[in-house]
Amino acid sequence: MTTALITGASAGLGAAFARRLAADGLDLVLVARDRGRLESIANELRATHGVRIEVLPADLTVPWARARVERRLTATVEPIDLLVNNAGVEADDELPAAPMTDLQAEIDLNVTAVLRLTRAALPGMLARDRGSVINVASFAGYLPARGSAYGASKAWVLSFTDTVAASVAGTGVRAIALCAGRLRTARHAQVGPPGSPLWIEPADAVDVCLRDLSRGRRLSTPGWLYRLLVGTLEAPRRSLRLLARLAGRGREQQPPTPRPVDPAAAADPEQTMRLAA
Ligand SMILES: NC(=O)c1ccc[n+]([C@@H]2O[C@H](COP(=O)([O-])OP(=O)(O)OC[C@H]3O[C@@H](n4cnc5c(N)ncnc54)[C@H](OP(=O)(O)O)[C@@H]3O)[C@@H](O)[C@H]2O)c1
């Protein structure tokens, strides 16, 4: 049975991923801070789809809590085949006024957690020669606009996913960035009029992303308007990717060496499962 781990699974886009993947018959590990909200969606999905759901409450900005999720990702019992790095936060204030704690939280959740969870998941996926990582980026990652550290953090997600995809090329492992525009989630006090190309339904974004993943794409951009804009912005990067592939040809002959990020946890899957419970 395929198992997916979704961060930020209790609301918005993460909940849409959980609903779609459960409907597809995947077992799930749901991560967010609020256990009650996680239990509520887990109960709904167990009742509707009969899949196995683990609830793993964790604040991904807190190192010891994040480490529990990293250990779950290294487990060899019921291993994780699909990691959805969805949890993300945007500070309310712009850079000069934003409290440093809010800016740091953007980096801890949008960057550090994505890096660490991906690094934890990849060795097992490579050893099994199967698995996928979906990193939720944002159109804000392309915008040279005022704001907090959010846009820069999402630009990092786009670039990092390119690195992951290039690093696992030629294996059975895939990586894709979901470049979402404005989503109709609780994050926005107001959402645009029906039919507006600026606003995307979370469930539609998930469908497009999973379809692009199955087609072996590295970048998924739901909505025709965003797809048009990102397609234009990505043109130079496509050439650079080709150049990078040509330059790294020799290295691509050697498959990546899978090494567990935490040998202690990998060697004791039972302990990992207990920690995850
Ligand atoms: N909404 C948009 O318009 C939009 C556009 C482009 C990209 N995105 C990206 O899409 C992703 C999801 O956004 P969304 O709008 O669906 O967000 P959302 O509705 O605010 O939901 C955020 C989810 O993340 C969890 N979460 C927040 N802080 C966390 C932490 N420190 N540790 C663990 N979990 C945490 C929340 O649950 P708890 O509060 O219980 O932890 C919740 O499940 C984000 O990466 C966001 O940047 C969103």
Side-chain angles (χ1 to χ4, degrees), residues 19-117:
R19 291 198 169 92
R20 164 68 200 269
L21 294 173
D24 287 352
L26 273 71
D27 290 338
L28 301 179
V29 182
L30 306 182
V31 179
R33 290 167 300 183
D34 186 323
R35 179 186 283 275
R37 285 206 299 173
L38 285 177
E39 294 285 6
S40 161
I41 187 166
N43 287 336
E44 171 202 321
L45 297 179
R46 282 184 199 114
T48 316
H49 302 293
V51 291
R52 203 177 155 277
I53 313 241
E54 288 171 51
V55 158
L56 180 45
D59 184 336
L60 293 170
T61 65
V62 175
W64 66 262
R66 191 176 56 221
R68 296 177 65 219
V69 183
E70 289 174 45
R71 280 194 291 271
R72 178 62 186 88
L73 286 162
T74 63
T76 49
V77 176
E78 287 163 12
I80 303 299
D81 309 292
L82 172 60
L83 166 62
V84 184
N85 277 312
N86 161 76
V89 71
E90 181 171 12
D92 291 332
D93 301 304
E94 294 186 7
L95 196 59
M100 195 54 222
T101 46
D102 290 2
L103 298 170
Q104 189 62 56
E106 285 182 320
I107 300 302
D108 291 346
L109 186 60
N110 304 0
V111 175
T112 306
V114 174
L115 169 71
R116 294 196 64 107
L117 300 195

XYZ file of all heavy atoms in Angstrom, residues 19-117:
760
model
N -7.652 14.818 0.970
C -8.935 14.284 0.458
C -8.728 13.555 -0.871
O -9.247 12.459 -1.091
C -9.953 15.411 0.296
C -10.395 15.974 1.616
C -11.705 16.770 1.556
N -12.138 17.027 2.923
C -11.828 18.121 3.614
N -11.119 19.084 3.062
N -12.230 18.257 4.867
N -7.960 14.156 -1.772
C -7.746 13.539 -3.091
C -6.955 12.227 -2.959
O -7.302 11.207 -3.566
C -7.030 14.541 -3.994
C -6.390 13.972 -5.240
C -7.406 13.457 -6.269
N -6.744 12.531 -7.175
C -6.160 12.884 -8.324
N -6.216 14.129 -8.735
N -5.560 11.984 -9.074
N -5.887 12.242 -2.147
C -5.030 11.049 -2.039
C -5.768 9.926 -1.319
O -5.626 8.748 -1.680
C -3.718 11.401 -1.332
C -2.820 12.375 -2.120
C -1.626 12.814 -1.286
C -2.329 11.734 -3.431
N -6.589 10.263 -0.312
C -7.392 9.229 0.359
C -8.407 8.641 -0.617
O -8.630 7.430 -0.649
C -8.092 9.827 1.582
N -9.002 9.499 -1.430
C -9.958 9.009 -2.435
C -9.271 8.089 -3.434
O -9.886 7.152 -3.968
C -10.604 10.194 -3.163
N -7.979 8.332 -3.678
C -7.209 7.460 -4.584
C -6.765 6.170 -3.895
O -6.090 5.344 -4.518
C -5.957 8.200 -5.093
C -6.307 9.280 -6.114
O -7.477 9.346 -6.532
O -5.394 10.053 -6.486
N -7.050 6.033 -2.582
C -6.733 4.797 -1.871
C -5.389 4.786 -1.174
O -4.938 3.729 -0.718
N -4.728 5.941 -1.047
C -3.438 5.970 -0.348
C -3.651 6.033 1.164
O -4.592 6.687 1.634
C -2.623 7.205 -0.776
C -1.740 7.048 -2.018
C -2.596 6.968 -3.280
C -0.765 8.209 -2.119
N -2.779 5.360 1.910
C -2.713 5.575 3.351
C -2.014 6.910 3.593
O -1.183 7.326 2.770
C -1.926 4.446 4.027
C -2.695 3.130 3.997
O -3.934 3.170 3.865
O -2.052 2.070 4.098
N -2.347 7.544 4.721
C -1.825 8.906 4.928
C -1.213 9.090 6.309
O -1.657 8.473 7.279
C -2.958 9.932 4.777
C -3.706 9.992 3.440
C -4.798 11.055 3.515
C -2.754 10.279 2.292
N -0.209 9.959 6.361
C 0.297 10.493 7.629
C 0.050 11.999 7.558
O 0.548 12.668 6.643
C 1.801 10.213 7.814
C 2.272 10.756 9.165
C 2.100 8.720 7.698
N -0.746 12.491 8.494
C -1.147 13.908 8.458
C -0.393 14.692 9.527
O -0.412 14.319 10.709
C -2.651 14.029 8.711
C -3.573 13.205 7.794
C -5.040 13.472 8.142
C -3.309 13.517 6.322
N 0.237 15.780 9.101
C 1.060 16.598 10.018
C 0.526 18.030 10.057
O 0.242 18.623 9.008
C 2.531 16.620 9.547
C 3.389 17.479 10.487
C 3.108 15.211 9.447
N 0.376 18.564 11.245
C 0.102 19.999 11.492
C 0.236 20.175 13.004
O 0.556 19.211 13.706
C -1.282 20.408 10.994
N -0.004 21.395 13.503
C 0.181 21.580 14.953
C -1.034 21.147 15.758
O -0.899 20.571 16.823
C 0.473 23.067 15.235
C 1.818 23.519 14.763
C 1.924 25.026 14.772
N 0.926 25.637 13.910
C 0.811 26.934 13.669
N 1.631 27.782 14.268
N -0.109 27.398 12.854
N -2.228 21.414 15.253
C -3.450 21.224 16.034
C -3.962 19.786 15.896
O -4.516 19.407 14.866
C -4.497 22.226 15.520
C -5.762 22.237 16.352
O -6.177 21.152 16.820
O -6.324 23.324 16.541
N -3.771 18.982 16.983
C -4.159 17.577 16.923
C -5.659 17.418 16.652
O -6.081 16.548 15.894
C -3.794 16.870 18.241
C -4.202 15.405 18.264
C -3.964 14.764 19.616
N -2.589 14.434 19.868
C -1.996 13.306 19.463
N -2.679 12.419 18.782
N -0.743 13.086 19.741
N -6.482 18.277 17.280
C -7.935 18.153 17.129
C -8.372 18.274 15.676
O -9.179 17.480 15.185
N -7.814 19.262 14.980
C -8.202 19.455 13.565
C -7.712 18.295 12.709
O -8.389 17.860 11.767
C -7.634 20.778 13.036
C -8.393 21.998 13.556
C -8.291 23.186 12.612
N -6.928 23.648 12.403
C -6.591 24.579 11.517
N -7.523 25.111 10.745
N -5.342 24.982 11.389
N -6.528 17.760 13.054
C -6.003 16.606 12.305
C -6.893 15.385 12.521
O -7.205 14.655 11.575
C -4.568 16.289 12.748
C -3.465 17.222 12.253
C -2.124 16.805 12.856
C -3.368 17.205 10.730
N -7.291 15.149 13.795
C -8.144 13.987 14.104
C -9.471 14.097 13.360
O -10.013 13.108 12.871
C -8.425 13.894 15.623
C -7.214 13.592 16.471
C -6.746 12.130 16.393
O -7.304 11.370 15.586
O -5.795 11.798 17.121
N -9.972 15.314 13.269
C -11.261 15.517 12.626
C -11.203 15.132 11.133
O -12.063 14.381 10.639
C -11.661 16.982 12.839
O -12.623 17.351 11.937
N -10.176 15.578 10.443
C -10.083 15.231 9.006
C -9.723 13.745 8.848
O -10.205 13.068 7.935
C -9.112 16.162 8.246
C -9.199 15.877 6.749
C -7.691 16.067 8.692
C -8.559 16.914 5.875
N -8.916 13.219 9.797
C -8.555 11.795 9.726
C -9.810 10.940 9.863
O -10.009 9.974 9.101
C -7.542 11.459 10.820
N -10.675 11.275 10.820
C -11.909 10.499 11.012
C -12.789 10.566 9.774
O -13.362 9.564 9.333
C -12.676 11.023 12.235
C -11.977 10.630 13.526
O -11.228 9.648 13.558
N -12.175 11.396 14.584
N -12.884 11.750 9.196
C -13.701 11.926 7.975
C -13.174 11.008 6.859
O -13.952 10.299 6.217
C -13.621 13.393 7.536
C -14.229 13.671 6.168
C -13.670 14.957 5.536
O -13.458 15.949 6.274
O -13.450 14.957 4.308
N -11.855 10.998 6.683
C -11.283 10.241 5.558
C -11.317 8.733 5.805
O -11.532 7.953 4.876
C -9.851 10.713 5.282
C -9.749 12.186 4.847
C -8.300 12.576 4.612
C -10.573 12.445 3.596
N -11.126 8.326 7.077
C -11.235 6.881 7.388
C -12.650 6.410 7.078
O -12.849 5.360 6.458
C -10.956 6.646 8.883
C -9.491 6.682 9.245
C -9.315 6.344 10.733
N -8.023 6.804 11.211
C -7.835 7.763 12.112
N -8.851 8.385 12.671
N -6.609 8.106 12.462
N -13.642 7.210 7.510
C -15.043 6.805 7.324
C -15.406 6.799 5.841
O -16.121 5.913 5.368
C -15.960 7.763 8.093
N -14.919 7.769 5.093
C -15.324 7.891 3.682
C -14.578 6.921 2.784
O -15.172 6.365 1.847
C -15.058 9.334 3.185
O -15.495 10.237 4.172
C -15.791 9.618 1.888
N -13.287 6.732 3.044
C -12.473 5.979 2.070
C -11.871 4.691 2.622
O -11.256 3.936 1.859
C -11.345 6.883 1.534
C -11.862 8.137 0.893
N -12.594 8.134 -0.280
C -11.774 9.439 1.271
C -12.919 9.385 -0.601
N -12.445 10.194 0.321
N -11.996 4.454 3.935
C -11.486 3.213 4.528
C -9.981 3.075 4.463
O -9.463 1.951 4.499
N -9.261 4.183 4.368
C -7.795 4.109 4.320
C -7.233 4.256 5.733
O -7.925 4.671 6.661
C -7.197 5.202 3.400
C -7.542 4.922 1.946
C -7.670 6.587 3.815
N -5.950 3.883 5.884
C -5.267 3.965 7.173
C -4.684 5.368 7.330
O -4.002 5.847 6.421
C -4.134 2.922 7.175
C -3.716 2.497 8.537
C -2.651 1.414 8.497
N -1.901 1.483 9.730
C -0.895 2.319 9.937
N -0.482 3.110 8.984
N -0.292 2.358 11.104
N -4.983 6.010 8.447
C -4.485 7.384 8.632
C -3.771 7.491 9.976
O -4.336 7.144 11.013
C -5.637 8.408 8.613
C -6.570 8.149 7.442
C -5.072 9.830 8.637
C -6.721 9.207 6.448
N -2.525 7.972 9.936
C -1.797 8.318 11.160
C -1.873 9.825 11.328
O -1.729 10.568 10.357
C -0.304 7.984 11.027
C 0.058 6.528 11.040
C 1.546 6.369 10.683
O 2.407 7.043 11.288
O 1.825 5.598 9.756
N -2.053 10.228 12.572
C -2.043 11.657 12.872
C -0.735 11.950 13.608
O -0.423 11.288 14.592
C -3.281 11.992 13.718
C -3.087 13.260 14.501
C -4.514 12.110 12.821
N 0.024 12.900 13.097
C 1.347 13.194 13.677
C 1.444 14.696 13.940
O 1.946 15.460 13.117
C 2.429 12.726 12.693
C 3.903 12.925 13.059
C 4.202 12.521 14.485
C 4.779 12.150 12.096
N 0.913 15.150 15.103
C 0.958 16.590 15.381
C 2.397 17.045 15.611
O 3.137 16.390 16.354
C 0.140 16.738 16.679
C -0.494 15.418 16.922
C 0.317 14.386 16.212
N 2.773 18.133 14.964
C 4.132 18.660 15.138
C 4.180 20.096 14.637
O 3.615 20.406 13.584
C 5.140 17.815 14.359
N 4.855 20.939 15.413
C 5.160 22.290 14.934
C 6.486 22.192 14.181
O 7.539 21.958 14.794
C 5.264 23.258 16.121
C 5.486 24.691 15.652
O 6.005 24.883 14.522
O 5.141 25.617 16.397
N 6.435 22.365 12.881
C 7.620 22.134 12.041
C 8.663 23.243 12.164
O 9.717 23.163 11.549
C 7.202 21.940 10.585
C 6.394 20.660 10.330
C 5.811 20.665 8.914
C 7.253 19.416 10.535
N 8.375 24.273 12.965
C 9.395 25.290 13.216
C 10.205 24.962 14.473
O 11.157 25.668 14.802
C 8.778 26.699 13.388
O 7.971 26.705 14.570
C 7.926 27.092 12.208
N 9.788 23.905 15.180
C 10.458 23.526 16.433
C 11.316 22.286 16.167
O 10.791 21.232 15.799
C 9.407 23.232 17.534
C 10.071 22.723 18.801
C 8.569 24.470 17.802
N 12.642 22.410 16.337
C 13.527 21.309 15.923
C 13.152 19.938 16.480
O 13.124 18.957 15.743
C 14.909 21.771 16.394
C 14.825 23.268 16.345
C 13.416 23.608 16.741
N 12.847 19.819 17.798
C 12.579 18.475 18.338
C 11.280 17.907 17.785
O 11.162 16.689 17.567
C 12.587 18.470 19.880
C 11.468 19.256 20.524
C 11.538 20.522 21.002
C 10.124 18.816 20.753
N 10.326 20.911 21.503
C 9.435 19.880 21.376
C 9.424 17.642 20.497
C 8.095 19.804 21.734
C 8.075 17.560 20.849
C 7.427 18.620 21.474
N 10.293 18.771 17.541
C 9.016 18.284 16.986
C 9.213 17.893 15.520
O 8.706 16.857 15.060
C 7.954 19.368 17.121
N 9.954 18.707 14.793
C 10.238 18.407 13.379
C 11.015 17.098 13.263
O 10.806 16.328 12.322
C 11.033 19.573 12.793
C 11.167 19.543 11.288
C 11.877 20.782 10.804
N 13.159 20.940 11.451
C 13.653 22.106 11.875
N 12.996 23.220 11.695
N 14.822 22.155 12.470
N 11.883 16.831 14.241
C 12.683 15.599 14.203
C 11.792 14.357 14.247
O 12.130 13.317 13.671
C 13.678 15.584 15.361
N 10.636 14.431 14.920
C 9.717 13.278 14.957
C 9.200 12.983 13.552
O 9.044 11.834 13.154
C 8.532 13.569 15.889
C 8.928 13.764 17.340
C 7.718 14.130 18.185
N 6.748 13.055 18.234
C 5.428 13.237 18.209
N 4.931 14.443 18.116
N 4.616 12.213 18.271
N 8.950 14.049 12.791
C 8.458 13.861 11.415
C 9.590 13.318 10.537
O 9.380 12.431 9.702
C 7.890 15.190 10.865
C 7.319 14.988 9.472
C 6.827 15.750 11.808
N 10.799 13.848 10.752
C 11.958 13.327 9.995
C 12.128 11.837 10.268
O 12.382 11.050 9.345
C 13.234 14.077 10.387
C 13.265 15.510 9.885
C 14.480 16.272 10.403
O 15.589 15.723 10.371
O 14.301 17.411 10.864
N 11.967 11.420 11.537
C 12.139 9.992 11.857
C 11.048 9.163 11.181
O 11.321 8.072 10.687
C 12.126 9.780 13.377
C 13.457 10.122 14.035
C 13.529 9.580 15.449
N 12.616 10.276 16.347
C 12.936 11.378 17.030
N 14.139 11.908 16.925
N 12.055 11.940 17.828
N 9.836 9.689 11.125
C 8.765 8.940 10.446
C 9.108 8.749 8.963
O 8.806 7.717 8.359
C 7.417 9.667 10.602
C 6.247 8.979 9.889
C 5.996 7.590 10.457
N 4.982 6.836 9.715
C 5.226 6.060 8.658
N 6.465 5.960 8.182
N 4.249 5.384 8.069
N 9.770 9.773 8.392
C 10.124 9.704 6.963
C 11.240 8.697 6.691
O 11.404 8.250 5.556
C 10.526 11.090 6.456
C 9.352 12.052 6.260
C 9.844 13.494 6.197
C 8.571 11.713 4.996
N 12.023 8.362 7.717
C 13.099 7.384 7.514
C 12.636 5.965 7.836
O 13.412 5.022 7.648
C 14.329 7.711 8.390
O 13.944 7.615 9.754
C 14.879 9.080 8.098
N 11.419 5.794 8.332
C 10.950 4.460 8.731
C 10.924 3.511 7.539
O 10.557 3.902 6.432
C 9.563 4.561 9.351
N 11.308 2.271 7.797
C 11.281 1.279 6.719
C 10.003 0.436 6.782
O 9.678 -0.278 5.843
C 12.513 0.360 6.799
O 12.638 -0.112 8.141
C 13.779 1.118 6.421
N 9.293 0.506 7.916
C 7.982 -0.138 8.025
C 6.951 0.880 7.541
O 6.966 2.031 7.980
C 7.685 -0.525 9.492
C 6.270 -1.100 9.616
C 8.709 -1.505 10.000
N 6.066 0.445 6.645
C 5.104 1.364 6.023
C 5.810 2.657 5.598
O 5.516 3.751 6.090
C 3.936 1.644 6.962
C 3.028 0.443 7.067
C 2.096 0.482 8.262
O 1.985 1.535 8.894
O 1.485 -0.559 8.539
N 6.755 2.523 4.681
C 7.569 3.685 4.291
C 6.734 4.731 3.544
O 5.692 4.424 2.967
C 8.621 3.068 3.363
C 7.985 1.840 2.830
C 7.081 1.316 3.905
N 7.254 5.936 3.560
C 6.572 7.041 2.879
C 6.998 7.063 1.412
O 8.179 7.193 1.094
C 6.921 8.390 3.549
C 6.550 8.368 5.042
C 6.239 9.544 2.816
C 5.087 8.142 5.348
N 6.011 6.938 0.522
C 6.283 6.945 -0.926
C 6.044 8.325 -1.536
O 6.505 8.612 -2.640
C 5.366 5.953 -1.645
C 5.408 4.591 -0.989
O 6.450 3.944 -1.064
O 4.391 4.190 -0.399
N 5.267 9.131 -0.841
C 4.961 10.473 -1.359
C 5.020 11.462 -0.199
O 4.297 11.314 0.791
C 3.552 10.483 -1.984
C 3.000 11.850 -2.405
C 3.876 12.518 -3.445
C 1.574 11.709 -2.948
N 5.915 12.439 -0.328
C 6.023 13.510 0.675
C 5.461 14.784 0.063
O 5.913 15.208 -1.005
C 7.496 13.717 1.062
C 7.824 15.005 1.833
C 7.110 15.051 3.179
C 9.341 15.139 2.040
N 4.471 15.368 0.738
C 3.924 16.649 0.275
C 4.324 17.720 1.282
O 3.763 17.807 2.379
C 2.386 16.590 0.124
C 1.877 17.911 -0.461
C 1.954 15.419 -0.745
N 5.336 18.507 0.923
C 5.789 19.628 1.761
C 4.874 20.811 1.474
O 5.166 21.657 0.627
C 7.232 19.986 1.409
C 8.234 19.099 2.103
O 8.157 18.874 3.313
N 9.185 18.582 1.338
N 3.740 20.837 2.186
C 2.726 21.855 1.891
C 2.681 22.985 2.929
O 2.432 24.138 2.566
C 1.346 21.180 1.806
C 0.214 22.167 1.954
O -0.114 22.910 1.036
N -0.386 22.221 3.149
N 2.939 22.679 4.205
C 2.775 23.697 5.254
C 3.634 24.917 4.925
O 4.813 24.793 4.594
C 3.159 23.129 6.615
N 3.034 26.072 5.006
C 3.759 27.309 4.719
C 3.051 28.464 5.396
O 1.851 28.395 5.678
N 3.808 29.514 5.666
C 3.225 30.646 6.378
C 3.736 31.936 5.753
O 4.833 31.969 5.187
C 3.574 30.547 7.890
C 5.040 30.832 8.141
C 2.704 31.439 8.725
N 2.900 32.992 5.840
C 3.312 34.312 5.349
C 3.080 35.326 6.457
O 1.974 35.418 7.003
C 2.483 34.697 4.104
C 2.891 36.055 3.551
C 2.238 36.361 2.210
O 1.297 35.638 1.811
O 2.664 37.336 1.566
N 4.119 36.080 6.791
C 3.989 37.092 7.852
C 2.969 38.153 7.434
O 2.836 38.469 6.252
C 5.352 37.727 8.118
N 2.253 38.690 8.418
C 1.227 39.705 8.120
C 1.851 41.028 7.691
O 1.303 41.739 6.857
C 0.362 39.954 9.366
C -0.497 38.739 9.686
O -0.826 37.996 8.736
O -0.815 38.524 10.868
N 3.008 41.364 8.290
C 3.602 42.685 8.046
C 4.715 42.611 7.012
O 5.272 41.545 6.753
C 4.189 43.224 9.354
C 3.128 43.335 10.432
O 2.119 44.020 10.193
O 3.290 42.690 11.493
N 5.024 43.769 6.453
C 6.135 43.842 5.500
C 7.466 43.947 6.254
O 7.501 44.280 7.440
C 5.934 45.019 4.556
C 4.712 44.807 3.674
C 4.551 45.874 2.613
O 5.459 46.725 2.466
O 3.518 45.857 1.924
N 8.522 43.689 5.516
C 9.854 43.506 6.102
C 10.258 44.521 7.190
O 10.662 44.122 8.280
C 10.888 43.481 4.972
C 12.252 42.936 5.315
C 12.189 41.505 5.817
C 13.140 43.000 4.081
N 10.146 45.822 6.937
C 10.674 46.753 7.943
C 9.911 46.693 9.262
O 10.476 46.987 10.317
C 10.492 48.127 7.285
C 10.281 47.846 5.839
C 9.627 46.506 5.746
N 8.628 46.302 9.194
C 7.811 46.337 10.414
C 7.582 44.950 11.009
O 7.212 44.834 12.184
C 6.452 46.974 10.095
N 7.792 43.916 10.221
C 7.441 42.565 10.690
C 8.290 42.166 11.884
O 9.513 42.380 11.880
C 7.642 41.558 9.558
N 7.654 41.588 12.914
C 8.448 41.082 14.039
C 9.433 40.018 13.546
O 9.091 39.210 12.680
C 7.390 40.440 14.958
C 6.091 41.014 14.524
C 6.218 41.369 13.079
N 10.637 40.046 14.092
C 11.667 39.097 13.652
C 11.195 37.657 13.839
O 11.532 36.773 13.041
C 12.958 39.362 14.440
C 14.180 38.695 13.843
S 14.451 39.093 12.097
C 14.894 37.495 11.461
N 10.379 37.410 14.874
C 9.901 36.032 15.108
C 9.031 35.561 13.932
O 9.086 34.390 13.537
C 9.077 35.936 16.408
O 8.155 37.023 16.421
C 9.956 35.971 17.636
N 8.234 36.473 13.358
C 7.379 36.088 12.219
C 8.232 35.794 10.980
O 7.978 34.847 10.232
C 6.387 37.204 11.877
C 5.309 37.353 12.951
O 5.384 36.603 13.958
O 4.424 38.213 12.793
N 9.259 36.649 10.764
C 10.141 36.440 9.603
C 10.912 35.129 9.751
O 11.070 34.362 8.800
C 11.112 37.614 9.463
C 10.457 38.976 9.201
C 11.488 40.094 9.329
C 9.819 39.004 7.812
N 11.368 34.871 10.980
C 12.123 33.637 11.217
C 11.221 32.420 11.013
O 11.650 31.392 10.464
C 12.699 33.645 12.644
C 13.675 32.508 12.911
C 14.908 32.579 12.017
O 15.596 33.586 11.996
N 15.163 31.517 11.256
N 9.948 32.548 11.420
C 9.005 31.427 11.245
C 8.811 31.125 9.758
O 8.670 29.954 9.363
C 7.673 31.756 11.907
N 8.783 32.183 8.927
C 8.670 31.957 7.475
C 9.833 31.091 6.977
O 9.644 30.163 6.201
C 8.678 33.292 6.715
C 7.381 34.074 6.817
C 7.440 35.367 6.003
O 8.502 36.031 6.006
O 6.429 35.704 5.357
N 11.035 31.422 7.436
C 12.215 30.669 6.983
C 12.212 29.262 7.581
O 12.499 28.273 6.897
C 13.512 31.428 7.356
C 13.530 32.811 6.680
C 14.750 30.622 6.969
C 13.420 32.799 5.167
N 11.859 29.160 8.866
C 11.890 27.844 9.528
C 10.894 26.874 8.880
O 11.195 25.692 8.699
C 11.569 27.988 11.019
C 12.693 28.699 11.766
O 13.794 28.832 11.199
O 12.460 29.132 12.910
N 9.695 27.380 8.556
C 8.660 26.486 8.012
C 8.793 26.331 6.492
O 8.761 25.217 5.970
C 7.270 27.044 8.361
C 6.083 26.162 7.981
C 6.154 24.804 8.677
C 4.755 26.846 8.322
N 8.942 27.466 5.789
C 8.908 27.424 4.315
C 10.210 26.914 3.707
O 10.218 26.442 2.573
C 8.624 28.820 3.742
C 7.331 29.432 4.270
O 6.643 28.821 5.073
N 7.010 30.626 3.833
N 11.320 27.057 4.468
C 12.623 26.659 3.924
C 13.213 25.471 4.708
O 13.388 24.379 4.170
C 13.610 27.854 3.918
C 14.994 27.420 3.477
C 13.088 28.969 3.000
N 13.502 25.709 5.990
C 14.230 24.673 6.755
C 13.452 23.362 6.822
O 14.031 22.280 6.618
C 14.532 25.182 8.178
O 15.203 26.435 8.061
C 15.413 24.218 8.927
N 12.154 23.433 7.096
C 11.375 22.182 7.197
C 11.340 21.460 5.850
O 11.457 20.226 5.792
C 9.957 22.489 7.686
N 11.212 22.218 4.757
C 11.170 21.592 3.420
C 12.508 20.897 3.136
O 12.546 19.758 2.658
C 10.852 22.657 2.342
C 10.946 22.066 0.941
C 9.462 23.248 2.586
N 13.599 21.587 3.456
C 14.934 20.999 3.267
C 15.094 19.722 4.084
O 15.470 18.662 3.576
C 16.004 22.020 3.681
C 17.430 21.493 3.791
C 18.000 21.180 2.412
C 18.330 22.499 4.509
N 14.772 19.808 5.373
C 15.049 18.682 6.279
C 14.141 17.491 5.983
O 14.592 16.343 6.004
C 14.918 19.136 7.728
C 15.995 20.160 8.124
C 16.088 20.289 9.626
N 16.530 19.047 10.204
C 17.741 18.837 10.722
N 18.633 19.810 10.728
N 18.047 17.675 11.255
N 12.865 17.736 5.707
C 11.956 16.604 5.449
C 12.305 15.931 4.124
O 12.264 14.706 4.006
C 10.491 17.057 5.461
C 9.962 17.685 6.760
C 8.434 17.730 6.744
C 10.433 16.979 8.008
